[in-house]
Amino acid sequence: MGGNKAVSYAGPGKVEVIDTDYPTFELKDGPGVNPANVGRKVNHGVILKVVATNICGSDQHMVRGRTTAPEGLVLGHEITGEVVETGPDVEFIKEGDLCSVPFNIACGRCQNCKEGKTGICLNVNPDRPGSAYGYVDMGGWVGGQAQYVLVPYADWNLLKFPDKDQAMEKIMDLTMLSDIFPTGYHGVFTAGVRTGSTVYIAGAGPVGLAAATAAQLLGASVVIVGDLNKERLAQARSFGCETVDVSEGDPKDQIEQILGVPEVDCGVDAVGFEAHGQGKEAAEEKPATVLNTVMDITKAGGALGIPGLYVTGDPGAKDEAAKVGSLSIRIGLGWAKSHSFTTGQCPVMRYHRQLMNAILHDKTQIAKNVNATAISIDQAPQGYKDFDSGVAKKFVLNPNEMIKVG
């Protein structure tokens, strides 16, 4: 086969579009590839021609230099594509199938996978449970912001769309199934959102907006989204959310103006470790702010869903404790209020088929709600810059020009 164009991390604040190797059914050495995975045979995998691959806030953490990601790492874990080649051990997925790829890489064979905990598979990352494409310390599986990508354990991992033509008509919605829609859904579901719930979602980025969409789908009576970014707050209001501008101070007072009480039934942290302060401290990075706020405004006996990313290594942190992921959270407050917490990667496979059906049968408009915007792979560097500036858009790369734009 021919070559392959991909998006690569080129150092803090930089991404490049590079020419790279066409994938094969064997993991090769390269930036970020775990040495123990080099030479690993992937006869159970497929090669996808990428239809859509999205820029994620998790990618942005690496590009800002806030992780230990090596230069040259091919980025991208939100992947939707068409199968163009199958390994000899693939039985059910066929060439020509159009599929969504969960960002978690899972073997389907280990204890955790069999229990549905596909975000912490035991067999795909030699260093620790859990793996993902194109992400630091995640085993070194090559990223999918590319024209072609290798997907292992294809019969287990891939979600095949039932009708290819219908799927292409809704591809801007369906591309969100690889990560942010299930991740947002996981956040609100584990926070206990059910019919009639009131919910506060910290963060109006794409994951926060996806969580708000999921909360509405689950029947929440009031969905409140908090952020510092006025453009993103306006995007939340565009599909019926209430909003809180945390630059104006503690969200509790604004929540009371909306609900009549200063607490919600369910709280969600869709911000993560690069959180900023509130009110007069809005310009300062304070990584524990959101966790402490969400505990404060969630009722006693409530639950917190935490899809926002927290890391064990943050070289850009302002204090030594935060550099190793140690934050000053008020665990005593959460204990006193009998809160339950759910953290970690979303197990995408737990939700993606149901959410696919909701999209295909017009029960939700996730692409509209997150303002999905298609760009070419050559525009990726500018897309990263625009996303980092805080625009209210979810950038979808169109590496093989298969998405009709306009």
Side-chain angles (χ1 to χ4, degrees):
M1 294 293 292
N4 189 16
K5 188 181 286 189
V7 180
S8 168
Y9 171 60
K14 301 176 186 176
V15 298
E16 294 177 346
V17 179
I18 63 170
D19 291 319
T20 188
D21 293 336
Y22 185 87
T24 66
F25 294 106
E26 179 181 319
L27 281 183
K28 294 181 170 57
D29 197 10
V33 177
N34 190 301
N37 264 347
V38 174
R40 186 170 181 164
K41 303 294 183 183
V42 192
N43 293 333
H44 42 70
V46 301
I47 294 171
L48 291 186
K49 182 178 183 179
V50 177
V51 175
T53 177
N54 315 327
I55 296 175
C56 180
S58 298
D59 300 318
Q60 199 67 266
H61 293 307
M62 290 188 290
V63 172
R64 289 180 186 136
R66 297 299 297 268
T67 71
T68 56
E71 293 185 17
L73 181 75
V74 173
L75 301 165
H77 56 271
E78 300 189 10
I79 309 163
T80 306
E82 179 183 9
V83 177
V84 292
E85 192 174 350
T86 60
D89 293 344
V90 177
E91 185 176 0
F92 302 112
I93 294 293
K94 306 297 181 186
E95 289 184 21
D97 287 346
L98 184 60
C99 305
S100 177
V101 184
F103 79 89
N104 327 103
I105 301 171
C107 72
R109 296 153 167 79
C110 70
Q111 179 181 346
N112 282 349
C113 283
K114 290 179 178 180
E115 292 175 354
K117 301 170 184 174
T118 55
I120 42 174
C121 173
L122 301 174
N123 288 330
V124 287
N125 185 348
D127 286 341
R128 57 188 171 92
S131 192
Y133 304 89
Y135 209 82
V136 58
D137 297 332
M138 283 293 192
W141 300 86
V142 178
Q145 286 177 13
Q147 291 176 304
Y148 297 92
V149 66
L150 171 68
V151 174
Y153 302 104
D155 284 326
W156 169 251
N157 280 306
L158 290 178
L159 175 67
K160 176 186 171 182
F161 299 137
D163 184 291
K164 196 170 180 179
D165 291 337
Q166 181 193 27
M168 285 304 297
E169 290 176 1
K170 294 180 177 289
I171 195 65
M172 294 293 282
D173 294 283
L174 293 171
T175 189
M176 305 305 162
L177 293 173
S178 58
D179 183 354
I180 68 164
F181 201 10
T183 293
Y185 191 98
H186 182 61
V188 296
F189 185 82
T190 57
V193 175
R194 303 293 185 267
T195 302
S197 298
T198 59
V199 54
Y200 176 74
I201 297 166
V207 170
L209 297 175
T213 302
Q216 292 176 338
L217 195 59
L218 284 166
S221 58
V222 184
V223 179
I224 305 170
V225 179
D227 205 295
L228 300 160
N229 184 311
K230 289 178 170 50
E231 183 180 345
R232 289 180 170 180
L233 290 174
Q235 183 65 27
R237 289 192 295 272
S238 75
F239 59 97
C241 300
E242 300 285 349
T243 58
V244 163
D245 185 342
V246 299
S247 69
E248 296 179 2
D250 190 330
K252 184 178 286 188
D253 295 336
Q254 295 175 66
I255 290 171
E256 185 170 19
Q257 291 174 12
I258 295 166
L259 298 177
V261 292
E263 290 185 322
V264 293
D265 298 324
C266 314
V268 176
D269 172 4
V271 178
F273 75 104
E274 288 193 71
H276 281 240
Q278 298 163 169
K280 295 179 180 179
E281 298 180 330
E284 300 178 37
E285 190 169 298
K286 292 186 173 293
T289 296
V290 172
L291 287 170
N292 289 330
T293 294
V294 173
M295 282 190 281
D296 189 37
I297 56 89
T298 300
K299 71 176 185 180
L304 310 182
I306 308 173
L309 175 69
Y310 289 88
V311 295
T312 56
D314 175 11
K318 294 185 177 180
D319 64 73
E320 293 303 312
K323 287 181 179 179
V324 294
S326 182
L327 308 181
S328 298
I329 64 169
R330 297 180 63 195
I331 193 65
L333 175 62
W335 190 94
K337 296 178 80 171
S338 294
H339 284 156
S340 59
F341 299 73
T342 300
T343 66
Q345 291 185 37
C346 164
V348 170
M349 294 175 70
R350 191 177 298 173
Y351 309 108
H352 66 172
R353 186 174 300 276
Q354 302 94 309
L355 294 175
M356 173 188 74
N357 287 332
I359 289 169
L360 294 178
H361 295 283
D362 299 319
K363 300 302 181 186
T364 187
Q365 293 182 300
I366 180 65
K368 178 176 177 289
N369 290 359
V370 301
N371 196 16
T373 305
I375 60 176
S376 72
I377 193 169
D378 292 325
Q379 293 173 301
Q382 187 61 48
Y384 270 94
K385 289 179 182 178
D386 291 346
F387 187 41
D388 196 41
S389 74
V391 298
K393 293 180 179 181
K394 174 68 172 177
F395 288 106
V396 177
L397 303 185
N398 185 15
N400 286 296
E401 300 182 357
M402 297 174 73
I403 302 172
K404 296 178 181 178
V405 180

